[in-house]
Amino acid sequence: MLHLIAGVIPLTYLVLDGHFGNHNALQMARQSHLHLISKLRYDAALYFPYTGPYAGRGPRRKYGHKVDYDHLPVHALTETTVEGHIETRLYQMPLLHKEFVQPLNVVIIAKTNLRTQARAHVVLFSSDLALAYPPLVDYYGLRFQIEFNFRDAKQYWGLEDSMNVTPTGVTNAANLSLFMVNVAYRLRADSHPRDPDYSVLDLKADCRGYKYVEETIKLLPEKPEPILLAKILNQVASLGRIHAAQPSFSFS
């Protein structure tokens, strides 16, 4: 992939899911002159770098205290937000893991339910020790958007059903499916201000119904008046929708 896009798109970070949150994946990224952004297990054994005095003999101690996820250091707290009854705290600090040969830039996202005091956390990391926490979190979050796009392409636009095996067929199917994801997103954006629940299935039902109504109207000896035609399109074309059409909505 790097060979194909060489000189076209400058890349700095490789974002992978938690399955690749390990030493081998990090070394693969670094050998390709990229920094890895990934996720560790929620109970990953992380350690603070040892900052105490030298014992006077043997190798210098490397690992300090183990990270206690229920009592994270205040000095590492970078941001606190509260939405409803959920409090979110972001911590960033350089930490060590015994399966990695280099320090990790770790961001811990800790959420607390203020009503029940239930806690949960996510551990993100990067090999780039200079990367600030906002882009680290944002870059990892963008991975989900890519997954959502492929999910929509498979679920709604036939990427999974194409079953192509030739390079040209696979390319065409992937391009068409992902292009339709973008088209659907754009059309839904126009409708969401007045119809917030408007979904991809609603869009497909509208398009299909609109086509059926249009072909039926062509069989009539006389075309209905514009007001009646708009009412027919609005009511009949949306019969297959999951969410009921708003009174003023018309796909045309």
Side-chain angles (χ1 to χ4, degrees):
M1 181 61 69
L2 291 174
H3 176 73
L4 290 174
I5 64 176
V8 179
I9 303 175
L11 295 179
T12 304
Y13 299 102
L14 174 64
V15 183
L16 300 174
D17 64 20
H19 180 75
F20 297 95
N22 54 61
H23 169 73
N24 291 336
L26 187 146
Q27 293 305 312
M28 175 190 69
R30 297 303 297 135
Q31 290 172 14
S32 299
H33 307 290
L34 298 171
H35 280 294
L36 177 66
I37 295 176
S38 186
K39 182 174 72 170
L40 293 170
R41 286 174 52 97
Y42 76 96
D43 58 351
L46 293 170
Y47 297 84
F48 294 100
Y50 180 71
T51 57
Y54 176 51
R57 64 182 185 276
R60 291 185 178 273
R61 185 175 173 181
K62 181 178 180 181
Y63 301 99
H65 294 294
K66 187 177 180 180
V67 172
D68 181 355
Y69 292 106
D70 292 327
H71 301 89
L72 295 170
V74 176
H75 67 81
L77 180 62
T78 57
E79 180 181 314
T80 300
T81 58
V82 177
E83 293 185 10
H85 58 278
I86 301 299
E87 180 187 69
T88 303
R89 294 187 176 188
L90 274 72
Y91 299 82
Q92 183 176 31
M93 57 200 117
L95 297 172
L96 303 176
H97 192 293
K98 292 186 178 180
E99 294 183 3
F100 292 80
V101 297
Q102 69 174 71
L104 302 177
N105 180 5
V106 176
V107 173
I108 301 174
I109 305 174
K111 291 183 178 289
T112 303
N113 187 317
L114 299 177
R115 294 176 181 171
T116 64
Q117 295 304 307
R119 291 172 52 86
H121 64 268
V122 173
V123 184
L124 307 180
F125 78 94
S126 173
S127 57
D128 183 1
L129 298 178
L131 182 63
Y133 76 92
L136 195 158
V137 174
D138 287 344
Y139 293 164
Y140 189 81
L142 289 174
R143 185 184 66 82
F144 292 99
Q145 185 58 59
I146 296 173
E147 290 191 2
F148 292 155
N149 287 345
F150 273 93
R151 178 203 63 186
D152 289 351
K154 292 193 298 182
Q155 182 175 352
Y156 301 121
W157 306 113
L159 179 61
E160 195 171 40
D161 301 329
S162 298
M163 301 303 177
N164 294 290
V165 295
T166 64
T168 301
V170 171
T171 299
N172 291 342
N175 286 339
L176 179 59
S177 299
L178 292 170
F179 172 73
M180 288 305 301
V181 171
N182 291 334
V183 172
Y185 180 86
R186 180 65 183 85
L187 293 175
R188 291 171 63 206
D190 290 338
S191 302
H192 277 166
R194 58 178 177 271
D195 198 354
D197 295 328
Y198 194 61
S199 67
V200 176
L201 291 177
D202 295 328
L203 173 64
K204 294 181 71 172
D206 275 335
C207 291
R208 189 181 299 110
Y210 186 88
K211 181 63 176 178
Y212 293 162
V213 171
E214 192 177 52
E215 293 299 319
T216 302
I217 294 298
K218 291 179 181 179
L219 299 176
L220 299 177
E222 293 185 9
K223 191 174 182 179
E225 294 295 327
I227 296 179
L228 177 59
L229 179 58
K231 186 175 182 180
I232 293 174
L233 288 172
N234 184 48
Q235 293 187 5
V236 179
S238 60
L239 289 177
R241 286 182 51 165
I242 303 299
H243 303 97
Q246 299 299 315
S248 61
F249 178 81
S250 175
F251 185 72
S252 58

